[in-house]
Amino acid sequence: MEQLKERECRLAERLIAEQPLVNELRSNPRFLKEEDRLLLSALVDDIYNNFTVRLTTRFPNLTEVDIQYCILLKLHFSVPQVAILSAISRTSVYQQKARIKKRLLLMDPNLFINGETLDAWLHKF
């Protein structure tokens, strides 16, 4: 079962790596347009079993901005890349991640009990 999960993860990462928009944004980050956000959301939902639906259903207190950050983190964008894509500072990205983690903990206090980061949790979610 563990081998299947690992294989699924590698296949998902390969599918994402082959997406032209993701490659463009990784190599040359720029402020995201609304159509880019919609495409990335659809991509994540398609590859990761309705990721945004599952996230908003389990955590209805997350804002649209929170969901957008979660999508970027799920796609393995780095903090400097997220900062450029969102047109904010790196410090603001770290603050937003802390706010998201706090909102998640409000709904489920048992999350992150083993010191797991938001990024790691999102990759498994």
Side-chain angles (χ1 to χ4, degrees), residues 55-100:
L55 196 60
T56 55
T57 300
R58 184 166 173 198
F59 304 98
N61 62 334
L62 292 177
T63 67
E64 274 299 312
V65 172
D66 295 338
I67 299 300
Q68 288 301 318
Y69 279 92
C70 290
I71 289 168
L72 295 174
L73 296 173
K74 181 78 170 172
L75 292 172
H76 299 279
F77 283 101
S78 67
V79 167
Q81 289 170 327
V82 172
I84 293 169
L85 297 172
S86 304
I88 62 172
S89 71
R90 292 178 187 187
T91 303
S92 295
V93 173
Y94 286 116
Q95 290 170 340
Q96 184 66 30
K97 286 173 62 172
R99 283 191 289 271
I100 293 169

Short mmCIF file of all heavy atoms in Angstrom, two decimals, residues 55-100:
data_model
loop_
_atom_site.label_atom_id
_atom_site.label_comp_id
_atom_site.label_asym_id
_atom_site.label_seq_id
_atom_site.Cartn_x
_atom_site.Cartn_y
_atom_site.Cartn_z
N LEU A 55 -10.81 20.61 1.01
CA LEU A 55 -10.27 21.57 1.97
C LEU A 55 -11.35 22.51 2.49
O LEU A 55 -11.48 22.71 3.70
CB LEU A 55 -9.14 22.37 1.30
CG LEU A 55 -8.20 23.16 2.18
CD1 LEU A 55 -7.46 22.26 3.16
CD2 LEU A 55 -7.19 23.92 1.32
N THR A 56 -12.17 23.04 1.60
CA THR A 56 -13.22 23.98 2.04
C THR A 56 -14.35 23.27 2.78
O THR A 56 -14.99 23.87 3.64
CB THR A 56 -13.80 24.78 0.86
OG1 THR A 56 -14.26 23.89 -0.15
CG2 THR A 56 -12.77 25.72 0.29
N THR A 57 -14.59 22.02 2.46
CA THR A 57 -15.62 21.26 3.18
C THR A 57 -15.17 20.97 4.60
O THR A 57 -15.94 21.15 5.55
CB THR A 57 -15.93 19.94 2.44
OG1 THR A 57 -16.39 20.25 1.13
CG2 THR A 57 -16.98 19.14 3.18
N ARG A 58 -13.93 20.55 4.75
CA ARG A 58 -13.42 20.22 6.09
C ARG A 58 -13.11 21.47 6.91
O ARG A 58 -13.25 21.47 8.13
CB ARG A 58 -12.16 19.36 5.96
CG ARG A 58 -11.64 18.90 7.29
CD ARG A 58 -10.64 17.81 7.18
NE ARG A 58 -10.05 17.52 8.48
CZ ARG A 58 -8.94 16.86 8.65
NH1 ARG A 58 -8.29 16.36 7.62
NH2 ARG A 58 -8.46 16.66 9.86
N PHE A 59 -12.71 22.55 6.23
CA PHE A 59 -12.32 23.78 6.92
C PHE A 59 -13.06 24.97 6.30
O PHE A 59 -12.47 25.77 5.57
CB PHE A 59 -10.80 23.99 6.84
CG PHE A 59 -10.01 22.85 7.39
CD1 PHE A 59 -9.47 21.89 6.55
CD2 PHE A 59 -9.83 22.70 8.76
CE1 PHE A 59 -8.74 20.82 7.05
CE2 PHE A 59 -9.11 21.65 9.27
CZ PHE A 59 -8.57 20.68 8.42
N PRO A 60 -14.34 25.12 6.61
CA PRO A 60 -15.12 26.20 5.99
C PRO A 60 -14.70 27.60 6.44
O PRO A 60 -15.11 28.59 5.83
CB PRO A 60 -16.56 25.89 6.44
CG PRO A 60 -16.43 25.02 7.62
CD PRO A 60 -15.14 24.27 7.48
N ASN A 61 -13.86 27.70 7.46
CA ASN A 61 -13.40 29.01 7.93
C ASN A 61 -12.25 29.56 7.09
O ASN A 61 -11.83 30.70 7.30
CB ASN A 61 -13.02 28.95 9.40
CG ASN A 61 -11.86 28.00 9.69
OD1 ASN A 61 -11.63 27.04 8.96
ND2 ASN A 61 -11.17 28.24 10.78
N LEU A 62 -11.73 28.80 6.12
CA LEU A 62 -10.67 29.30 5.26
C LEU A 62 -11.24 30.28 4.25
O LEU A 62 -12.32 30.08 3.71
CB LEU A 62 -9.99 28.15 4.51
CG LEU A 62 -9.17 27.17 5.36
CD1 LEU A 62 -8.62 26.05 4.48
CD2 LEU A 62 -8.06 27.87 6.10
N THR A 63 -10.48 31.34 4.00
CA THR A 63 -10.91 32.35 3.04
C THR A 63 -10.46 31.95 1.63
O THR A 63 -9.66 31.02 1.46
CB THR A 63 -10.29 33.72 3.38
OG1 THR A 63 -8.87 33.64 3.18
CG2 THR A 63 -10.61 34.14 4.82
N GLU A 64 -10.93 32.68 0.63
CA GLU A 64 -10.49 32.45 -0.74
C GLU A 64 -8.98 32.65 -0.87
O GLU A 64 -8.32 31.90 -1.58
CB GLU A 64 -11.22 33.38 -1.71
CG GLU A 64 -12.55 32.87 -2.18
CD GLU A 64 -12.46 31.55 -2.93
OE1 GLU A 64 -11.60 31.41 -3.83
OE2 GLU A 64 -13.23 30.65 -2.60
N VAL A 65 -8.47 33.66 -0.19
CA VAL A 65 -7.03 33.91 -0.21
C VAL A 65 -6.28 32.73 0.41
O VAL A 65 -5.26 32.28 -0.13
CB VAL A 65 -6.68 35.23 0.52
CG1 VAL A 65 -5.18 35.41 0.67
CG2 VAL A 65 -7.29 36.41 -0.23
N ASP A 66 -6.80 32.21 1.52
CA ASP A 66 -6.19 31.04 2.14
C ASP A 66 -6.12 29.87 1.16
O ASP A 66 -5.09 29.19 1.05
CB ASP A 66 -6.99 30.59 3.37
CG ASP A 66 -6.98 31.58 4.52
OD1 ASP A 66 -6.06 32.42 4.58
OD2 ASP A 66 -7.92 31.52 5.35
N ILE A 67 -7.21 29.64 0.47
CA ILE A 67 -7.28 28.53 -0.48
C ILE A 67 -6.26 28.73 -1.60
O ILE A 67 -5.57 27.78 -2.00
CB ILE A 67 -8.71 28.39 -1.07
CG1 ILE A 67 -9.74 28.10 0.02
CG2 ILE A 67 -8.76 27.32 -2.16
CD1 ILE A 67 -9.51 26.83 0.80
N GLN A 68 -6.12 29.96 -2.07
CA GLN A 68 -5.13 30.24 -3.12
C GLN A 68 -3.71 29.92 -2.65
O GLN A 68 -2.92 29.35 -3.39
CB GLN A 68 -5.22 31.70 -3.59
CG GLN A 68 -6.44 31.99 -4.41
CD GLN A 68 -6.53 31.14 -5.67
OE1 GLN A 68 -5.54 30.93 -6.37
NE2 GLN A 68 -7.71 30.63 -5.95
N TYR A 69 -3.39 30.29 -1.41
CA TYR A 69 -2.07 29.97 -0.87
C TYR A 69 -1.90 28.46 -0.74
O TYR A 69 -0.84 27.93 -1.05
CB TYR A 69 -1.85 30.65 0.49
CG TYR A 69 -1.45 32.09 0.36
CD1 TYR A 69 -2.41 33.10 0.37
CD2 TYR A 69 -0.12 32.45 0.23
CE1 TYR A 69 -2.05 34.42 0.25
CE2 TYR A 69 0.25 33.78 0.11
CZ TYR A 69 -0.72 34.76 0.11
OH TYR A 69 -0.37 36.08 -0.03
N CYS A 70 -2.94 27.79 -0.29
CA CYS A 70 -2.87 26.33 -0.14
C CYS A 70 -2.62 25.66 -1.49
O CYS A 70 -1.86 24.70 -1.58
CB CYS A 70 -4.15 25.80 0.50
SG CYS A 70 -4.32 26.23 2.24
N ILE A 71 -3.24 26.18 -2.54
CA ILE A 71 -3.03 25.65 -3.89
C ILE A 71 -1.57 25.81 -4.29
O ILE A 71 -0.93 24.87 -4.77
CB ILE A 71 -3.96 26.34 -4.91
CG1 ILE A 71 -5.41 25.89 -4.68
CG2 ILE A 71 -3.51 26.07 -6.35
CD1 ILE A 71 -6.44 26.72 -5.43
N LEU A 72 -1.02 26.99 -4.08
CA LEU A 72 0.38 27.24 -4.45
C LEU A 72 1.33 26.37 -3.64
O LEU A 72 2.31 25.84 -4.17
CB LEU A 72 0.72 28.73 -4.27
CG LEU A 72 -0.03 29.69 -5.21
CD1 LEU A 72 0.28 31.14 -4.84
CD2 LEU A 72 0.30 29.40 -6.66
N LEU A 73 1.04 26.19 -2.37
CA LEU A 73 1.88 25.34 -1.53
C LEU A 73 1.75 23.88 -1.94
O LEU A 73 2.74 23.14 -1.95
CB LEU A 73 1.52 25.53 -0.05
CG LEU A 73 1.79 26.92 0.51
CD1 LEU A 73 1.24 27.05 1.92
CD2 LEU A 73 3.28 27.26 0.46
N LYS A 74 0.55 23.46 -2.27
CA LYS A 74 0.33 22.08 -2.74
C LYS A 74 1.11 21.81 -4.01
O LYS A 74 1.60 20.70 -4.23
CB LYS A 74 -1.17 21.87 -2.97
CG LYS A 74 -1.56 20.48 -3.41
CD LYS A 74 -1.56 19.52 -2.26
CE LYS A 74 -2.18 18.19 -2.66
NZ LYS A 74 -2.02 17.19 -1.61
N LEU A 75 1.26 22.83 -4.84
CA LEU A 75 2.02 22.70 -6.09
C LEU A 75 3.52 22.88 -5.88
O LEU A 75 4.28 22.97 -6.85
CB LEU A 75 1.51 23.72 -7.12
CG LEU A 75 0.10 23.45 -7.64
CD1 LEU A 75 -0.39 24.61 -8.49
CD2 LEU A 75 0.06 22.15 -8.42
N HIS A 76 3.94 22.96 -4.64
CA HIS A 76 5.37 23.03 -4.27
C HIS A 76 6.06 24.32 -4.70
O HIS A 76 7.26 24.33 -5.00
CB HIS A 76 6.15 21.84 -4.81
CG HIS A 76 5.69 20.52 -4.31
ND1 HIS A 76 6.06 20.02 -3.09
CD2 HIS A 76 4.84 19.60 -4.85
CE1 HIS A 76 5.49 18.83 -2.91
NE2 HIS A 76 4.73 18.57 -3.96
N PHE A 77 5.30 25.41 -4.75
CA PHE A 77 5.96 26.69 -5.00
C PHE A 77 6.65 27.12 -3.71
O PHE A 77 6.12 26.93 -2.61
CB PHE A 77 4.95 27.76 -5.44
CG PHE A 77 4.53 27.63 -6.87
CD1 PHE A 77 3.31 27.05 -7.20
CD2 PHE A 77 5.36 28.07 -7.90
CE1 PHE A 77 2.92 26.92 -8.53
CE2 PHE A 77 4.97 27.94 -9.23
CZ PHE A 77 3.76 27.36 -9.55
N SER A 78 7.83 27.70 -3.82
CA SER A 78 8.59 28.15 -2.66
C SER A 78 8.02 29.47 -2.14
O SER A 78 7.27 30.15 -2.84
CB SER A 78 10.05 28.33 -3.05
OG SER A 78 10.18 29.41 -3.96
N VAL A 79 8.44 29.85 -0.94
CA VAL A 79 8.00 31.12 -0.37
C VAL A 79 8.38 32.30 -1.26
O VAL A 79 7.54 33.16 -1.54
CB VAL A 79 8.52 31.29 1.08
CG1 VAL A 79 8.32 32.72 1.57
CG2 VAL A 79 7.81 30.31 2.00
N PRO A 80 9.62 32.37 -1.77
CA PRO A 80 9.94 33.49 -2.67
C PRO A 80 9.06 33.50 -3.93
O PRO A 80 8.65 34.56 -4.39
CB PRO A 80 11.41 33.25 -3.04
CG PRO A 80 11.96 32.44 -1.91
CD PRO A 80 10.82 31.58 -1.45
N GLN A 81 8.76 32.33 -4.47
CA GLN A 81 7.89 32.26 -5.65
C GLN A 81 6.47 32.70 -5.30
O GLN A 81 5.85 33.47 -6.05
CB GLN A 81 7.87 30.84 -6.22
CG GLN A 81 9.17 30.45 -6.89
CD GLN A 81 9.22 28.98 -7.23
OE1 GLN A 81 8.67 28.14 -6.54
NE2 GLN A 81 9.90 28.65 -8.32
N VAL A 82 5.94 32.24 -4.17
CA VAL A 82 4.60 32.63 -3.74
C VAL A 82 4.53 34.14 -3.54
O VAL A 82 3.54 34.78 -3.88
CB VAL A 82 4.17 31.86 -2.47
CG1 VAL A 82 2.85 32.40 -1.91
CG2 VAL A 82 4.04 30.37 -2.75
N ALA A 83 5.59 34.70 -2.99
CA ALA A 83 5.63 36.15 -2.77
C ALA A 83 5.49 36.89 -4.10
O ALA A 83 4.72 37.84 -4.21
CB ALA A 83 6.93 36.54 -2.06
N ILE A 84 6.22 36.45 -5.11
CA ILE A 84 6.13 37.09 -6.42
C ILE A 84 4.77 36.86 -7.05
O ILE A 84 4.14 37.79 -7.57
CB ILE A 84 7.26 36.59 -7.35
CG1 ILE A 84 8.62 37.05 -6.83
CG2 ILE A 84 7.05 37.08 -8.79
CD1 ILE A 84 9.80 36.39 -7.51
N LEU A 85 4.29 35.62 -6.98
CA LEU A 85 2.99 35.29 -7.59
C LEU A 85 1.85 36.07 -6.96
O LEU A 85 0.85 36.38 -7.61
CB LEU A 85 2.72 33.79 -7.47
CG LEU A 85 3.70 32.86 -8.21
CD1 LEU A 85 3.44 31.40 -7.84
CD2 LEU A 85 3.63 33.06 -9.70
N SER A 86 2.01 36.40 -5.68
CA SER A 86 0.96 37.12 -4.95
C SER A 86 1.23 38.61 -4.82
O SER A 86 0.42 39.34 -4.26
CB SER A 86 0.83 36.52 -3.54
OG SER A 86 0.59 35.13 -3.62
N ALA A 87 2.39 39.04 -5.28
CA ALA A 87 2.80 40.45 -5.21
C ALA A 87 2.84 40.96 -3.77
O ALA A 87 2.34 42.05 -3.46
CB ALA A 87 1.92 41.33 -6.09
N ILE A 88 3.43 40.16 -2.89
CA ILE A 88 3.61 40.55 -1.49
C ILE A 88 5.03 40.17 -1.07
O ILE A 88 5.74 39.50 -1.81
CB ILE A 88 2.56 39.89 -0.56
CG1 ILE A 88 2.69 38.37 -0.59
CG2 ILE A 88 1.16 40.33 -0.91
CD1 ILE A 88 1.83 37.65 0.43
N SER A 89 5.41 40.58 0.13
CA SER A 89 6.75 40.26 0.62
C SER A 89 6.82 38.82 1.13
O SER A 89 5.79 38.20 1.43
CB SER A 89 7.14 41.21 1.75
OG SER A 89 6.37 40.92 2.91
N ARG A 90 8.03 38.31 1.25
CA ARG A 90 8.22 36.97 1.81
C ARG A 90 7.69 36.90 3.24
O ARG A 90 7.09 35.91 3.64
CB ARG A 90 9.70 36.59 1.79
CG ARG A 90 10.25 36.39 0.42
CD ARG A 90 11.72 36.08 0.46
NE ARG A 90 12.26 36.06 -0.89
CZ ARG A 90 13.47 35.68 -1.18
NH1 ARG A 90 14.30 35.29 -0.24
NH2 ARG A 90 13.89 35.69 -2.43
N THR A 91 7.91 37.97 3.98
CA THR A 91 7.42 38.02 5.36
C THR A 91 5.91 37.88 5.40
O THR A 91 5.37 37.17 6.24
CB THR A 91 7.85 39.35 6.03
OG1 THR A 91 9.27 39.45 5.97
CG2 THR A 91 7.39 39.42 7.47
N SER A 92 5.23 38.53 4.47
CA SER A 92 3.77 38.42 4.39
C SER A 92 3.33 37.00 4.05
O SER A 92 2.30 36.54 4.55
CB SER A 92 3.22 39.40 3.36
OG SER A 92 3.45 40.72 3.78
N VAL A 93 4.10 36.31 3.23
CA VAL A 93 3.78 34.91 2.92
C VAL A 93 3.87 34.07 4.18
O VAL A 93 2.98 33.26 4.48
CB VAL A 93 4.69 34.34 1.81
CG1 VAL A 93 4.45 32.84 1.62
CG2 VAL A 93 4.49 35.09 0.51
N TYR A 94 4.96 34.26 4.95
CA TYR A 94 5.10 33.51 6.21
C TYR A 94 3.95 33.82 7.17
O TYR A 94 3.43 32.94 7.85
CB TYR A 94 6.45 33.81 6.88
CG TYR A 94 7.62 33.17 6.18
CD1 TYR A 94 8.61 33.95 5.60
CD2 TYR A 94 7.75 31.78 6.12
CE1 TYR A 94 9.70 33.37 4.96
CE2 TYR A 94 8.83 31.19 5.49
CZ TYR A 94 9.80 31.99 4.91
OH TYR A 94 10.88 31.40 4.28
N GLN A 95 3.56 35.08 7.23
CA GLN A 95 2.44 35.47 8.10
C GLN A 95 1.14 34.83 7.64
O GLN A 95 0.35 34.35 8.45
CB GLN A 95 2.30 36.99 8.14
CG GLN A 95 3.42 37.67 8.87
CD GLN A 95 3.40 39.19 8.70
OE1 GLN A 95 2.79 39.72 7.78
NE2 GLN A 95 4.07 39.88 9.61
N GLN A 96 0.91 34.80 6.34
CA GLN A 96 -0.30 34.18 5.80
C GLN A 96 -0.31 32.69 6.10
O GLN A 96 -1.35 32.13 6.46
CB GLN A 96 -0.40 34.43 4.29
CG GLN A 96 -1.68 33.90 3.68
CD GLN A 96 -2.93 34.61 4.17
OE1 GLN A 96 -2.89 35.79 4.51
NE2 GLN A 96 -4.03 33.90 4.20
N LYS A 97 0.83 32.05 5.97
CA LYS A 97 0.91 30.62 6.29
C LYS A 97 0.59 30.39 7.76
O LYS A 97 -0.12 29.43 8.10
CB LYS A 97 2.30 30.08 5.94
CG LYS A 97 2.52 29.93 4.45
CD LYS A 97 3.94 29.56 4.11
CE LYS A 97 4.37 28.24 4.67
NZ LYS A 97 5.69 27.80 4.17
N ALA A 98 1.07 31.25 8.63
CA ALA A 98 0.78 31.12 10.07
C ALA A 98 -0.72 31.31 10.33
O ALA A 98 -1.32 30.59 11.15
CB ALA A 98 1.59 32.13 10.87
N ARG A 99 -1.34 32.26 9.63
CA ARG A 99 -2.79 32.47 9.80
C ARG A 99 -3.59 31.26 9.31
O ARG A 99 -4.57 30.86 9.93
CB ARG A 99 -3.24 33.74 9.05
CG ARG A 99 -2.89 35.03 9.78
CD ARG A 99 -3.56 36.23 9.14
NE ARG A 99 -2.99 36.58 7.85
CZ ARG A 99 -1.97 37.42 7.68
NH1 ARG A 99 -1.40 38.00 8.71
NH2 ARG A 99 -1.52 37.68 6.47
N ILE A 100 -3.17 30.68 8.20
CA ILE A 100 -3.86 29.50 7.68
C ILE A 100 -3.75 28.36 8.68
O ILE A 100 -4.74 27.69 9.00
CB ILE A 100 -3.28 29.08 6.31
CG1 ILE A 100 -3.60 30.13 5.25
CG2 ILE A 100 -3.81 27.71 5.90
CD1 ILE A 100 -2.86 29.94 3.94
#
